[in-house]
Amino acid sequence: MIAAVIALPALSAALLLSLGNRTNKFGPWMAIGASASSFLIGFWQFLQMLARPEEERTVITTVYEWLAVPAAGFKVDFALQLDQLSISFVLLITFVGTLIHIYSLGYMSHDENQRRFFAYLNLFVAAMLLLVLADNYLLLYVGWEGVGLASYLLIGFWQHKPTAAVAAKKAFVANRVGDFGLSLAIMTMFIVFGSVSFSDVNEGVLGAPAWVSLTIGLLLLLAACGKSAQFPLQSWLLDAMEGPTPVSALIHAATMVTAGVYLIVRSASIFNASEVAQTAVIVIGAISLLMGAIIGAAKDDIKKSLAGSTMSQIGYMVLAAGLGPIGYVFAILHLITHGFFKAVMFLGAGSVMHATDDNVDMRRYGGLSKVMIFTTITFFIGYLAIIGIPPFAGFYSKDHIIEAALSHSWWAGAAVLFGAGLTAFYMTRMVVMTFFSKPRWEDDVHPHESPLSMTLPMILLSIGAASMGIILTNNHMFEHWLEPVTGFVEPEPPFSIQTITIITLSVVATGVLAAIWQYRKIAKVAPKKVSFAVTAARKDLYGDVMNEALLMKPGQALTRALNIFDKSVVDGFVNGLGLFTGGISSRLRKSETGYVRSYAMSIVLGTAILVIVLLIVRL
Amino acid sequence: MNPDAYLVLSGIIFSIGTLGVLLRRNAIVAFMSVELMLNAANLAFVTGARVWGNLDGQTAAFFVMVVAAAEVVIGLAIILTIFRTRNSASVDEASLLRW
């Protein structure tokens, strides 16, 4: 039954891609149907799981024997693990995924490749579901690569634009670096534990030496950095905004980029066993959450600003996942609430772009609240959720992360608190520049509200963004729900919870007020004379420069050196051999004089020599 | 029977033939010298046949004669053609086929 969740969208994608233009008419509807039925099956499974007692909630279904090398003791089944963690993801992916499919119906209605777009979306949903449902790391890796492929195809969907093609390639290459980490981690697991299934690894790591969990943990962290756009592999996410906006909402905000967090939480036993690896996770999360927020605060492109925000929010999740059992639950909680509020804001951004002739420059928006009432309200709910105003979803998840971080160490707590202030600043800036302030668009642009197929998903998602926090944290429901899988320890922050909430809210209020003061007047063109910090933030904190200096330039130097080596040494040897043979033969050629008598002489001499030799060796 | 004298004679004839091939420029003479060498070999063959008392040597001699006859037919034809075109039978002048 659970296999159908993956099979339906996979089948739909295969049909749409293989039957081609014949499916143009009903293709998008079939894709929506596949995704929606996945959600319904997932929801049915969820209800069944609720009906079972807690200790029987993990169900492993072996679909078939996938790989087996008996000689090496290697056996991996195509098996799906349905537990509290994976069903949470299944519901998030299929619910948000279905809504974004519906949204794409309106957003992509004028695109002649609409069918292909829906095929890729279905492919993505199938791969992502495989990723979260796999019961072993190798099958997870298949889904992991599948979402990478779908992400590549969708970022470069408008491949006629060179920027989109380059962005897709960049995302793919950056992801490969992370994938390298995951594949090495899987190999290490097999060598040390002799198995790659979650249960065997969880058992094996208990008695393993410290270096095992440290090595695997760091390799998994590298994988998570690649997929989740965390420092130092973050640079692809901002460029990935070249893809259609529904893609940015689904893949690069709500689901795929959170796969890294899933990986860390799923490998909880490994990280629990290595404090160094955990600290590395926290540091990476803290750096990324601050970097993302700073980049998000400097971008005028609404999608890139949201991408910076995504990086920052995932930084929160990664940091929470690094805190160990006090943070895993909150990392997933924030992941789910973020899935809702970030998706609604991306869809809102898409709606705004739809209204303003695909303009992405926030400096040319302004005052859109007067013409786009649904977009404004839903976006504003997402805004309140992300900056963490009670009772919206982000308040609950982020507050818990702040509590957990504060009970871990002062510096982790300081990073998340400062990040909360920055979040409030850049989100307020975005809302002010887009929906409020004076209109700054061109005279020939006529903003209008988007069609129902686009506003409906936004309304549904905004309801989630508003209510998810209360629903999930009511009576510590989510903690109890996930505890059997991830483990849970109540955080013990140094201050009372009320004090922390007051501190957080005042930091958030400071951020909001600072942004309102800073952007009381907005220039139509970004000011040129800015401080060094703003320049750096506009250039993604020199992420690309760093990549170029550390990786691209040395790589090019290496290829140049190899080229020279090839030209001089390898070619030199081959050419030299040819020249040598040629030279010898042109000299030997002179012996062919054309005089019969000299040939006869050489025959005689040769025979004489032969005879003498035979006599000497007495044959 | 003592074959020494026959073999010495054979060697002398062979040497004369060899020197003829190496030193004479006239194609006909060189050709005759080759015949001398072949017949020197034939003399050695029949000597051997006589000494051992079987027919192997005689047979070989007949083979050589047949091959030599065929060779003479083709060789003389070539020499004749060269003489007709170049008006000379000197082997040194016919040295076009070279590097």
Side-chain angles (χ1 to χ4, degrees), chain A residues 208-450:
Chain A
W211 66 267
V212 172
S213 47
L214 178 63
T215 313
I216 298 177
L218 291 180
L219 288 170
L220 290 176
L221 177 61
L222 177 66
C225 284
K227 198 55 93 193
S228 295
Q230 298 294 291
F231 179 81
L233 297 173
Q234 80 284 11
S235 63
W236 66 272
L237 185 62
L238 287 137
D239 291 11
M241 296 300 128
E242 288 291 339
T245 308
V247 171
S248 311
L250 177 61
I251 301 185
H252 305 119
T255 54
M256 185 193 85
V257 285
T258 57
V261 182
Y262 171 78
L263 185 71
I264 295 176
V265 174
R266 185 50 98 185
S267 314
S269 58
I270 294 168
F271 286 96
N272 289 343
S274 172
E275 204 163 314
V276 183
Q278 275 185 328
T279 310
V281 174
I282 298 174
V283 169
I284 294 289
I287 293 175
S288 305
L289 88 87
L290 294 176
M291 271 183 87
I294 292 167
I295 294 171
K299 292 283 176 184
D300 288 332
D301 180 327
I302 187 168
K303 285 182 74 182
K304 293 208 168 173
S305 185
L306 281 173
S309 161
T310 302
M311 177 183 162
S312 167
Q313 297 301 313
I314 296 173
Y316 270 101
M317 302 171 208
V318 168
L319 187 144
L323 296 173
I326 55 170
Y328 293 133
V329 172
F330 301 134
I332 301 297
L333 179 66
H334 195 57
L335 193 158
I336 289 172
T337 57
H338 173 257
F340 281 92
F341 61 66
K342 186 50 68 60
V344 77
M345 283 194 286
F346 259 115
L347 296 187
S351 179
V352 167
M353 286 159 60
H354 202 65
T356 56
D357 296 349
D358 282 331
N359 195 347
V360 290
D361 190 354
M362 290 195 283
R363 292 189 180 273
R364 310 299 299 203
Y365 292 165
L368 288 171
S369 60
K370 294 188 188 76
V371 282
M372 307 178 74
I373 189 70
F374 286 116
T375 308
T376 308
I377 292 173
T378 52
F379 196 99
F380 203 71
I381 292 173
Y383 160 73
L384 292 176
I386 193 175
I387 64 173
I389 300 291
F392 295 92
F395 168 73
Y396 297 94
S397 51
K398 195 179 285 180
D399 230 34
H400 279 130
I401 292 181
I402 292 171
E403 282 167 27
L406 276 172
S407 46
H408 176 268
S409 59
W410 64 267
W411 54 269
V416 290
L417 268 177
F418 189 54
L422 285 174
T423 309
F425 178 82
Y426 69 71
M427 284 314 301
T428 310
R429 170 180 181 269
M430 190 185 294
V431 169
V432 168
M433 285 176 97
T434 307
F435 294 104
F436 303 110
S437 65
K438 289 201 183 87
R440 294 179 304 279
W441 61 71
E442 301 287 342
D443 292 336
D444 56 346
V445 175
H446 304 289
H448 51 86
E449 184 56 280
S450 300

Side-chain angles (χ1 to χ4, degrees), chain A residues 136-138 181-198 200-202 212 216-217 219-220 263 267 270:
Chain A
N136 58 67
Y137 282 96
L138 200 62
L182 184 53
S183 60
L184 284 180
I186 294 174
M187 290 178 213
T188 316
M189 285 172 196
F190 178 66
I191 292 170
V192 180
F193 306 128
S195 167
V196 293
S197 78
F198 293 146
D200 290 343
V201 171
N202 285 349
V212 172
I216 298 177
L219 288 170
L220 290 176
L263 185 71
S267 314
I270 294 168

Side-chain angles (χ1 to χ4, degrees), chain A residues 590 592-595 597 601, chain B residues 22-23 92 95 97-99:
Chain A
K590 303 282 184 195
E592 302 301 304
T593 53
Y595 294 115
R597 294 190 302 146
M601 190 63 196
Chain B
L22 293 180
L23 299 177
D92 282 6
S95 64
L97 193 63
R98 60 176 179 199
W99 54 271

Side-chain angles (χ1 to χ4, degrees), chain B residues 28-67:
Chain B
I28 306 277
V29 178
F31 212 62
M32 281 158 57
S33 307
V34 172
E35 289 301 317
L36 270 182
M37 289 161 78
L38 288 171
N39 283 309
N42 272 352
L43 180 59
F45 273 129
V46 286
T47 310
R50 187 67 192 274
V51 169
W52 301 110
N54 61 22
L55 285 175
D56 290 358
Q58 307 274 10
T59 321
F62 271 106
F63 268 110
V64 172
M65 279 180 210
V66 173
V67 172

